[in-house]
Amino acid sequence: MTPLSCEVLVIGGGATGAGVAWDCALRGFDTVLVERRDLAEGTSGRFHGLLHSGARYAVKDVAAAEECIGENMVLREIAADSIEDSGGLFVTTPEDDPAYGDALVAGCGRVGIPIEEIPVAEALRREPRLNPGIQRAFAVPDAGIDAWKCVGALARGAQGHGARILRYHRVTGILRDGDRVVGAEVRDELRGEDVRIEAGFTLNASGAWAAQIAHMAGVEGVGVVPGKGIMIAMNHRLVNTVINRCTMPADGDILVPIRTVSVIGTTDVHMADPDDLPIPQDEVDQMLDDGERLVPGFRRARALRVWAGVRPLFSDAKEEVESRDVSRGHALLDHRTRDGIDGLLTITGGKWTTYRLMAEETVDAMCAQLGEERPCTTRTAKLPGSEDGSLYHLGARLKWKEGHLNDEQLVCECEIIPRGRLEDELRSRGTTNLDDIRRALRLGMGPCQGGFCIYRATGILHAVGRLSGPEANASLLGFLQERWKGVWPILYGDQLRQARLDDWIFQGVLGVQDLPGAHDPPPGRVAAGPQDADAHGEPGDEAARAKGAPSAAPGSADDEPTAAWDGVSS
Amino acid sequence: VNDAVVIGAGVAGLTAATRIAEAGGRVLVVAKGIGATHLAPGTIDVLGRVDGEPVERPLEALGRLGAGHPYARLPAGTLAAAAEWWRGRFADGPLAPYAYTGTVETSLPLPSPVGAVRRSALVPETMAAGDLRRGEPLCIVGLRPLRDFHAPYAADNLARQGYEARAKVLDLAPEPRPDVNSLGYARAFDDAAFRDRVVAELRGRLAPGESAGFPAVLGLRRPHAAWDDLERRLARRVFEIPTLPPSVPGMRVFATLRERLRRAGARVILNAIVTGAERTGDRVTGVRVKVAAREVVHRGDWIVLATGGFASGGLELDSTWVAREVALGLPVHGVPGRGEARFAPGYLDEQPMARAGIQVDDGLRPLGPDGARAAENVLVAGALLAGAEPWREGSGDGISLGTGFHAGGIVVGARSEAADMGNTSGSIEAIERSGARGAGA
């Protein structure tokens, strides 16, 4: 068993865990973060992309609303590169009570959320696809936040301050020394090894899985209710402003433009197991009908992908409650006072928008237990890629491409991903998993859902990642299966046509069903990274040439990778 | 009045149209756009696998497909006759001596762009030397700016299946661009000067006896010349491997059949959307066709519907899971009902929705839900037919060729019977009076 030691072990690689690791690293703690899969693969990457203004909670949960508006303003400064200032509208549909708008304005006023009622005609001018029957409209400072980009930046920032970010490291046990937690045993899923991590302090930031981790530490009764929500990404920006229904928060009442798509969400169903999240037909229909209320014709628009995420809803009460009524606020559990166990804090509940605040409170509490005076700096420390403070703009990649029309091969036209960027990502991340690459670069996330780019990416992965054929095949087939999972429950209309065209390519032209290993059990995460790839033989000379080849991406050798291509500063 | 209005310009529609036109029929082809030819690899695959098992002798395995499969609609001997006919279209076609080779009795195992084994019945001569049964060492030649073909990956997979294979990647492009697609290279390979550069790059880098596998971009206008030139100058077998779309071999198919149609006096209208049909009793007498903003009714004794399935837009499924056939509104068969699985969660599993389509009788007439003919003079061919999963079972374009050929034969047979009875204009009525139906055998 490989031993590791650190001052702080963070469990969980979502927004909260990555935020905690960034906070710890900035305060000078020697930090290790373990995540059982890819960063932001659990809850954080499975939301609609809404950076709340707080208006959604202004009537019902003033504390949550205050936190949201405060953090919204902070994140615009420190994580600008992940945020699109799309703005938000609350609209009163013909089915909604117009009086709620007055309560909304009053609530926002109480907590300082800027809100302005605008004429319906103005709202329809801004968003022509909106239901023309809306009765009232209110503008608020909602925004879009790119989960993967932001969590990736947090992790890179933490690494830049010495933290070790260990993806695909699953906690199998919590180490105890008497009444003290002293680290964890984790399974390195890529190398198939067990790792013992000794830590001065352990921070459980595993969200919906927090009770499972706490249980491993011998702590019972952590009340986390997994609240499942499904979301559907529509192929276009049906709206360019975040649209909220102007009612008490309910299902299917948010439509968020994020990157090239718009996401309708969501549902709220209590689940027993945060890892078992089915997508039933009636929930899909519910989302489509809800979308129809906001944007007439929604059902005829092209649905791209559906997924389910799971909220960690913290509840002290043991009886069943409507989970939307369970606190959206976060919970920081001090296991010393709660359970008599030292060296462990659990942070759970909360919202994406308040991840930073949750991290700050968590690390503050740890410092207090340790008797350390180390002030938090995350309120002002800018994340990598956001140094110049410019907000993300949807046209960034296109703008980049226009400056590089004739000097870069595009691997993915939908998301404008140049070959050099893909090669850099493969090298620097050491991943061979195309689904990880999807999250990092948005490879295969466009209308064709990887129909064209995934074969190309596999060929490049084979050469640059120095994979063997079967490893590349596993990555290709794993991607296709992962994609299919998010596609088949909403396959109709143009997306069905696209999917059949993709089948034509993958099955009819490439014959992937006849690849060596195609019918083996579902491929796990492919293991090989650059460090252990030398064992693999290569046919031909392309791979050999590619091994030492510098990236073709102009400017990428020295520049910070995301600034020129996916940010606005090019 | 046309003898036949053919809707769709993929392999099925072009085959039916060409067969009728070359037999002297007056044919109009209307299509929303260039058909699926430009997407498909340009091979005629009759049957690659049944129940997950690879099939080497497809004709013998057809019986295992079940009565609902489109092949079960074809009279014995149709596929062999269609293959013979297909080879003939190329042998004296506009791209001759570019030719097709192979038979429907035995499939050729050929490498795919990932190095999997695809089994095809009829293939362009330019692909035939990829026959993996030869056991010759292979060098797969890639072109770095062609992102739609990755030679080392294909070679690696071939090698792991026991074939001797390696790869060379050339950094050669007709013009200094980072991306050159298959069409750009095909045009370049038509040019002897570009081939000179390729030959110069490869000279001395290929082992004796090694076959050279290129992406299928070896010429668009003179593919035989390009391929033959490379074989002679490299002094070895040269073969093409399909690429991602656009498919150059598919373009050659389209160019060949379209030119044959032109020579036979048929008209082809692209960018034409069929918006509906005019009916008299159980016959469709004309189709309403919209080109640009204008709608025109085209009349035909026969309507051949070959618009393809969901992939081509011949079928549509809406968000309430109702499917429709878009051109004539024919009943769609095999759509899983509410509560039934439309798709399987495993990507490579059998997908129930994929088999939805138009069900036909042995005369290729569409059937209603009650099993009765939905129209007497409509013939359905190609991927629109219910009961097949062409890509999964490796029957892509085999079904299209077979049923398109059969549909063409039915029209040709009906015309000749009508002519025998001295009636060349009102041919349908003549057939009906004589009681003859589906004269395709």
Side-chain angles (χ1 to χ4, degrees), chain B residues 405-440:
Chain B
F405 181 79
H406 185 36
I410 290 171
V411 176
V412 170
R415 284 187 74 246
S416 70
E417 285 197 34
D420 289 348
M421 297 178 67
N423 182 344
T424 52
S425 57
S427 52
I428 283 290
E429 289 77 3
I431 298 297
E432 305 268 295
R433 277 196 302 276
S434 72
R437 274 178 179 169

Side-chain angles (χ1 to χ4, degrees), chain A residues 441-454:
Chain A
L441 300 181
R442 303 184 65 80
L443 181 78
M445 292 191 74
C448 82
Q449 289 287 293
F452 285 79
C453 64
I454 289 305

Side-chain angles (χ1 to χ4, degrees), chain A residues 489-502:
Chain A
I490 46 101
L491 264 193
Y492 59 81
D494 285 342
Q495 202 57 28
L496 172 59
R497 186 172 182 184
Q498 179 71 57
R500 297 306 289 160
L501 171 62
D502 291 352

Side-chain angles (χ1 to χ4, degrees), chain A residues 281 409-410 456 473 493 510, chain B residues 112 147-148 153 179 317 342:
Chain A
Q281 187 60 58
Q409 192 170 59
L410 278 190
R456 297 168 183 162
N473 298 343
L510 304 183
Chain B
S112 86
R147 59 193 167 173
D148 294 334
Y153 178 39
D179 280 318
L317 183 71
R342 289 183 295 273

Side-chain angles (χ1 to χ4, degrees), chain B residues 316-334:
Chain B
E316 282 180 3
L317 183 71
D318 72 17
S319 75
T320 64
W321 317 110
V322 174
R324 81 188 177 102
E325 185 277 299
V326 301
L328 305 180
L330 296 176
V332 183
H333 178 84

Side-chain angles (χ1 to χ4, degrees), chain A residues 212-237:
Chain A
Q212 295 177 12
I213 296 293
H215 173 73
M216 289 185 199
V219 172
E220 304 304 334
V222 172
V224 177
V225 181
K228 182 194 76 170
I230 75 160
M231 278 142 277
I232 299 174
M234 307 301 288
N235 186 42
H236 301 95
R237 303 254 300 202

